[in-house]
Amino acid sequence: MKKIFLISLVIAFVSSCGSSDKGELVGVKGKKWHPEKPYGMSLVPGGAFIMGKSDDDIADVQDAPTRTVSVRSFYMDETEITNSEYRQFVFWVRDSILRLKLAEMAELEGKTPEDESGIGAYAYISVEDEDLTPYEKYMIDIYGDEQRKLNRDVDLIFETDEYPDELYSEVLDNMYLPMEESYNGQRTWDVDQFLFDYSYFDSQAAAKDKGASRSKYIIRPFPEGIDIYPDTTVWVRDFEYSYNEPMHNDYFWHEAYGNYPVVGIRHDQAQAFCQWRTLLKNSYKKSKGKQFVNSFRLPSEAEWEYAARGGLEGASYPWGGPYTKNDRGCFMANFKPLRGNYAADQALYTVEADAYEPNDYNLYNMSGNVSEWVMSSYEESSYEYSSSINPSVNDDDNKRKVVRGGSWKDVAYFLQVSSRDYEYADSARSYIGFRTVQDYMGTDATANEATN
């Protein structure tokens, strides 16, 4: 035993002689890291603010009493998520499913990537696990094969006269609606096939259950996949005896509306978008050998109100107030300013996501245009019992989810930064969209001394 102890001392001594720490406690050297402002986001420096109704509660809802709370720093999208941005999500899911079906067909027919043409070019590629990107690991989590990945180096072909072979044509044709459900010679995607599956770790629940298996809190909310295509019928269903067919037909797809906020999104679809955005960014980070970013998510109710105020204490609106017009008599947001006159603010429906002036945190349309989902559940008394530091009340069993900011069809009361409203999580509306946030890494960014 003594001999073993002496040998251990010798090894330890020899090891320390060859190290660069000179025997000092210098810590483990990691990769260099610098704060990176996400694309299209602004830093909202953390701090304290008075949350709730500072003026009279005109509607007498009594669900937002004033209280002082503090929030940590975070990044927030400068605009609501647009149709163009959400289409990137839809196309990514569509193309992923299409590549998967092509690879499965190639495998079924005995085709390989070595085939110079035809469906074989879309066959699986064998890889080592450590070479996989987060996107490829996502496919493994779903389909359970750890030795292969989809070939993304081959471009998909959508022109029917350029299909490489009949097998490719068979797979593509099954992604469209049958001819009897199409009209005017148009081929229409079967969007019910656009399903996105993901998993996440519920750290808050796990922290309260010490000793439990980690796997118990790895949540896969939609094992069969969640449909992610917007409900375009909301433009018709939300308004009885109203002609809104052009919005139903064109709003999401036509490029004329590319920079307009996406609508017709349920609460769970907005959350799925956040998961995909994290996956997309970390796939890129992995390919460059860089550290992963932390997750994109929906803001809490307190974060949303803090950001909407733009650093203005006691303000009614993001621009201050108490009026909805500026000194030139122009309306400051897109809402319903007069009875039956939606266009008095120069907009009948939604407007571009970066229309009107931003607040002092460079955030556009925090009031008006579309209301925005947040991750918080609606509880009338939540202000009375939630924490005063990063307050968040989110009960999965409570299907009433908070929406904030008011929309193009709302009166000025709902545009106030302190006004609370809700919608059921499984509902999609023509006047509800969302924007995402990402936590700031570190604590040195505050309202007193913001860093970029």
Side-chain angles (χ1 to χ4, degrees):
M1 189 70 181
K2 183 181 292 185
K3 185 176 181 180
I4 294 175
F5 178 70
L6 289 174
I7 292 173
S8 299
L9 284 177
V10 171
I11 292 174
F13 177 75
V14 172
S15 298
S16 64
C17 291
S19 68
S20 60
D21 58 26
K22 299 181 181 180
E24 301 294 344
L25 184 65
V26 297
V28 176
K29 299 297 183 183
K31 297 179 180 179
K32 290 184 178 180
W33 179 84
H34 300 284
E36 177 184 349
K37 186 173 80 69
Y39 180 79
M41 288 184 144
S42 285
L43 177 64
V44 179
F49 76 109
I50 299 175
M51 185 177 181
K53 288 287 184 186
S54 56
D55 297 326
D56 291 337
D57 187 357
I58 299 174
D60 197 30
V61 181
Q62 303 298 325
D63 63 350
T66 55
R67 60 188 299 235
T68 299
V69 300
S70 299
V71 296
R72 56 173 292 157
S73 303
F74 57 94
Y75 296 104
M76 177 175 261
D77 289 322
E78 293 173 353
T79 69
E80 301 128 342
I81 295 300
T82 65
N83 285 318
S84 176
E85 291 168 335
Y86 198 84
R87 282 203 303 267
Q88 184 181 354
F89 176 35
V90 170
F91 288 168
W92 187 94
V93 172
R94 179 201 65 186
D95 293 354
S96 298
I97 292 171
L98 182 52
R99 289 181 186 279
L100 177 67
K101 292 187 174 186
L102 289 169
E104 288 175 340
M105 176 66 84
E107 182 181 48
L108 182 65
E109 297 295 326
K111 306 295 184 179
T112 67
E114 286 71 31
D115 295 334
E116 295 183 359
S117 62
I119 200 171
Y122 299 89
Y124 290 110
I125 301 175
S126 297
V127 293
E128 296 294 332
D129 183 67
E130 59 267 20
D131 294 328
L132 296 173
T133 68
Y135 164 78
E136 293 150 359
K137 290 184 183 295
Y138 157 77
M139 299 306 292
I140 285 172
D141 288 340
I142 299 174
Y143 303 107
D145 191 327
E146 298 185 358
Q147 300 301 319
R148 61 188 186 180
K149 70 176 183 177
L150 298 178
N151 186 0
R152 295 183 64 84
D153 295 329
V154 183
D155 292 335
L156 293 171
I157 300 171
F158 295 105
E159 296 296 330
T160 55
D161 58 350
E162 297 179 7
Y163 287 170
D165 58 25
E166 292 183 358
L167 295 174
Y168 189 97
S169 176
E170 180 180 343
V171 173
L172 262 291
D173 287 345
N174 287 329
M175 289 289 290
Y176 290 95
L177 291 174
M179 291 302 296
E180 58 268 21
E181 295 185 26
S182 300
Y183 64 94
N184 244 7
Q186 296 180 344
R187 302 186 77 198
T188 305
W189 292 105
D190 181 4
V191 296
D192 288 340
Q193 296 189 51
F194 297 177
L195 302 176
F196 179 66
D197 182 18
Y198 65 90
S199 60
Y200 67 94
F201 181 64
D202 190 348
S203 57
Q204 293 208 39
K208 299 174 184 177
D209 190 7
K210 290 186 177 181
S213 171
R214 178 182 175 88
S215 61
K216 177 181 177 181
Y217 293 102
I218 297 178
I219 311 299
R220 190 178 172 190
F222 304 98
E224 302 300 323
I226 176 177
D227 60 303
I228 50 90
Y229 194 81
D231 183 356
T232 58
T233 66
V234 294
W235 289 105
V236 176
R237 290 188 293 102
D238 283 348
F239 304 98
E240 292 287 341
Y241 307 108
S242 176
Y243 177 69
N244 294 307
E245 188 173 335
M247 302 298 281
H248 165 269
N249 294 342
D250 302 324
Y251 185 76
F252 180 63
W253 274 108
H254 202 287
E255 199 51 51
Y257 298 102
N259 195 38
Y260 285 59
V262 68
V263 297
I265 303 298
R266 303 188 309 270
H267 193 266
D268 55 5
Q269 291 175 318
Q271 290 180 307
F273 177 92
C274 295
Q275 295 287 338
W276 165 78
R277 187 175 182 181
T278 306
L279 185 70
L280 181 72
K281 185 62 178 181
N282 283 336
S283 289
Y284 172 78
K285 288 286 190 177
K286 172 72 174 181
S287 68
K288 298 298 181 181
K290 297 182 179 180
Q291 282 189 307
F292 287 180
V293 301
N294 52 352
S295 298
F296 293 93
R297 58 179 176 80
L298 296 178
S300 69
E301 192 172 6
E303 287 172 331
W304 190 96
E305 182 171 331
Y306 179 72
R309 290 180 178 277
L312 300 178
E313 287 288 350
S316 298
Y317 303 101
W319 54 86
Y323 305 109
T324 56
K325 290 183 179 181
N326 61 17
D327 55 2
R328 298 183 301 278
C330 299
F331 285 103
M332 300 289 286
N334 178 21
F335 66 112
K336 181 183 177 181
L338 301 172
R339 184 184 297 273
N341 187 351
Y342 293 85
D345 55 8
Q346 300 182 357
L348 184 59
Y349 297 103
T350 57
V351 293
E352 292 90 341
D354 58 355
Y356 300 96
E357 292 296 320
N359 72 1
D360 288 347
Y361 289 151
N362 200 41
L363 305 175
Y364 293 82
N365 289 307
M366 292 300 285
S367 284
N369 213 21
V370 292
S371 298
E372 299 174 12
W373 289 116
V374 300
M375 71 177 181
S376 305
S377 301
Y378 180 77
E379 295 279 359
E380 293 88 341
S381 59
S382 61
Y383 282 26
E384 299 175 6
Y385 61 81
S386 59
S387 173
S388 59
I389 181 171
N390 296 317
S392 178
V393 176
N394 189 24
D395 180 5
D396 290 338
D397 294 329
N398 184 351
K399 301 306 179 184
R400 297 190 302 175
K401 300 301 180 183
V402 175
V403 291
R404 285 297 203 112
S407 73
W408 60 269
K409 63 91 183 173
D410 289 320
V411 296
Y413 170 80
F414 291 102
L415 268 66
Q416 295 180 9
V417 292
S418 56
S419 290
R420 308 177 69 198
D421 200 1
Y422 70 87
E423 184 54 84
Y424 287 93
D426 59 357
S427 297
R429 298 295 185 188
S430 60
Y431 44 84
I432 297 179
F434 69 101
R435 71 180 80 206
T436 68
V437 299
Q438 185 189 63
D439 292 317
Y440 178 83
M441 300 291 282
T443 59
D444 58 343
T446 68
N448 296 325
E449 186 178 355
T451 59
N452 294 307

